[in-house]
Amino acid sequence: MNDLIARLLAHDRIRAARRHVERADDVTLARQAELSATPAPTGAEGARGARVAELFREIGLSQVGVDQAGNVRGWLGNGHGSAPVVLAAHLDTVFGPEVDVRVRRRGQRLEGPGISDNARGLAAVLAVAEALVATGVTTARPILFAATVGEEGSGDLRGVKYLLNGKREAGNGKPTAFIALDGAGLERVIHRALGSKRYHVTFRGPGGHSWAAFGVANPANAVGRAAALLADLPIATAPRTTCAVVGLGGGTGLNSIPQDAWLDLDLRSEDPRALAQLDVTVRAALERAADDENRSRSTGTPPLRLEVQLVGDRPCGITPRVHPLVQAAIAANRALGRDAELTSASTDANAPIALGIPAIALGAGGKAGDAHLTTEWYENVEGALGIVRALLVTAAMAEVG
């Protein structure tokens, strides 16, 4: 693979494409800022998606469209030919519609919610597509450029799951490789899919006056019992596995026993068996919390009911280190003078990995901080180099002519 990347770096059209990326660095930054300033909460990505579709058409991609899920698609090459290579970035951010997403420049730093995650990824997808089209690069395999919906939080990878399912509008062939561009950075090569299960757990009881009805099973007590039991669970460290209470609530007033109380859980692991075992253990802890509270209630009062709702299910998996896709990313890093850090994360790449499609996720260059906070920032330190890496990996998998 080192030889292939070396040949690509010497290829006339790829060299021209690299120069195009480097010359267009300011244009890429302007697009990044523009897209970041276009609100795109999970489930409401339409305005940002429409702008990406416009840019896909301006760049010169073919068969540009928006599918039923809201994903934006554009093709380089015949979209109904052999198995494509997919280069994707997600449209949505973690921020709700009430958040001011305007972008501010402070020296070399761009500041704004979502400026890196994932306005940077979207701008990089556009930069790679434009460079390939502008320099006339041809490939044996078609390339599908995609901007997906529903990657963050409650989106549960909805967009990429739709893109890759059996009824996909993306083309006839199962992708030969999937590359997600997510956020900033140059070293990380994410080839292990960090799986997760997310639950909304509700305890329901009769409720009542905090004095007159005292002794009935209290959903708030059950939430407290559950949180304490979950905090004390033995958690595997190899493979790394986590269980976190990420939200809780309930009640209507200072003098009322609530009729319901809830907590949200986030379970994660790199290993599907460890995640499945944790799932069983957590459910048993929730049942115990309900049972313990019910045993303490006054005789003749109704018991608590426990409701467990699955609100997120992201699969685990791995694209082996020896796979040509991972090797291409490692070789590209080496050729650009940077070490590759093989790691895991939860990204759009989870879905293709679970379907047996080789997939990785890459940062799109530059440096960033305060991800998922309103103070998020991006600095374009070697930003173009991250896009060149994406260009090289995409070209390697698409087999440049």
Side-chain angles (χ1 to χ4, degrees):
M1 193 55 70
N2 289 333
D3 290 343
L4 174 58
I5 295 297
R7 288 197 300 272
L8 285 173
L9 285 169
H11 190 290
D12 287 344
R13 291 191 185 276
I14 294 298
R15 289 171 62 190
R18 177 176 182 171
R19 289 194 297 271
H20 189 285
V21 166
E22 293 167 346
R23 287 197 302 268
D25 202 26
D26 288 343
V27 173
T28 298
L29 277 177
R31 287 173 177 161
Q32 182 178 343
E34 177 194 358
L35 292 171
S36 186
T38 305
T42 300
E45 303 95 337
R48 185 176 289 184
R51 180 56 180 149
V52 171
E54 288 179 0
L55 291 168
F56 275 2
R57 294 187 183 97
E58 290 175 11
I59 285 168
L61 296 180
S62 63
Q63 299 171 260
V64 174
V66 180
D67 65 26
Q68 292 182 3
N71 302 312
V72 184
R73 298 168 290 109
W75 288 90
L76 179 64
N78 183 0
H80 295 281
S82 60
V85 172
V86 182
L87 184 66
H90 67 86
L91 287 161
D92 58 322
T93 73
V94 299
F95 304 101
E98 74 285 356
V99 173
D100 181 357
V101 293
R102 285 179 294 179
V103 176
R104 297 168 177 82
R105 182 182 288 274
R106 301 184 191 278
Q108 297 302 307
R109 178 172 289 191
L110 295 176
E111 297 180 354
I115 187 64
S116 175
D117 183 12
N118 193 31
R120 181 60 187 175
L122 290 168
V125 167
L126 289 160
V128 172
E130 185 174 50
L132 292 173
V133 172
T135 56
V137 174
T138 59
T139 58
R141 298 183 182 278
I143 303 172
L144 170 61
F145 295 91
T148 61
V149 298
E151 190 272 346
E152 297 285 7
S154 61
D156 199 32
L157 307 182
R158 179 175 63 89
V160 68
K161 288 176 180 176
Y162 181 89
L163 190 73
L164 299 173
N165 73 16
K167 298 180 180 179
R168 62 183 174 272
E169 301 173 37
N172 294 332
K174 177 181 177 180
T176 191
F178 184 103
I179 304 155
L181 300 185
D182 201 334
L186 186 57
E187 285 75 28
R188 293 204 308 164
V189 177
I190 298 164
H191 72 117
R192 304 193 305 275
L194 178 58
S196 66
K197 285 185 178 291
R198 290 161 176 168
Y199 290 106
H200 182 70
V201 179
T202 307
F203 295 92
R204 300 191 188 279
H209 195 281
S210 57
W211 171 265
F214 185 79
V216 302
N218 189 331
N221 289 349
V223 164
R225 294 178 189 272
L229 288 170
L230 295 171
D232 290 337
L233 287 180
I235 300 296
T237 56
R240 188 179 179 212
T241 304
T242 62
C243 172
V245 176
V246 295
L248 49 82
T252 58
L254 289 174
N255 60 350
S256 300
I257 296 170
Q259 290 184 301
D260 57 69
W262 57 268
L263 70 162
D264 288 335
L265 303 177
D266 183 25
L267 286 56
R268 297 190 183 217
S269 181
E270 296 178 356
D271 181 80
R273 289 170 296 183
L275 185 59
Q277 181 57 57
L278 177 62
D279 191 37
V280 171
T281 303
V282 165
R283 285 177 175 270
L286 296 173
E287 294 283 356
R288 178 181 167 186
D291 291 343
D292 288 349
E293 181 61 21
N294 282 330
R295 277 195 293 271
S296 71
R297 77 185 192 278
S298 298
T299 303
T301 59
L304 285 176
R305 303 191 315 277
L306 168 64
E307 299 174 5
V308 182
Q309 179 186 5
L310 180 67
V311 294
D313 190 359
R314 297 184 178 217
C316 308
I318 186 169
T319 301
R321 180 183 181 131
V322 296
H323 191 278
L325 175 58
V326 181
Q327 288 297 305
I330 294 171
N333 267 59
R334 185 177 296 118
L336 297 174
R338 296 293 182 275
D339 293 332
E341 177 191 349
L342 297 182
T343 188
S344 66
S346 179
T347 69
D348 265 347
N350 284 46
I353 288 175
L355 294 172
I357 298 168
I360 59 174
L362 302 172
K367 294 183 178 180
D370 290 357
H372 290 196
L373 298 175
T374 55
T375 52
E376 188 172 351
W377 56 268
Y378 172 82
E379 292 181 358
N380 197 41
V381 178
E382 298 184 323
L385 209 58
I387 298 174
V388 170
R389 175 176 68 165
L391 170 72
L392 292 172
V393 175
T394 304
M397 301 314 296
E399 301 176 14
V400 169

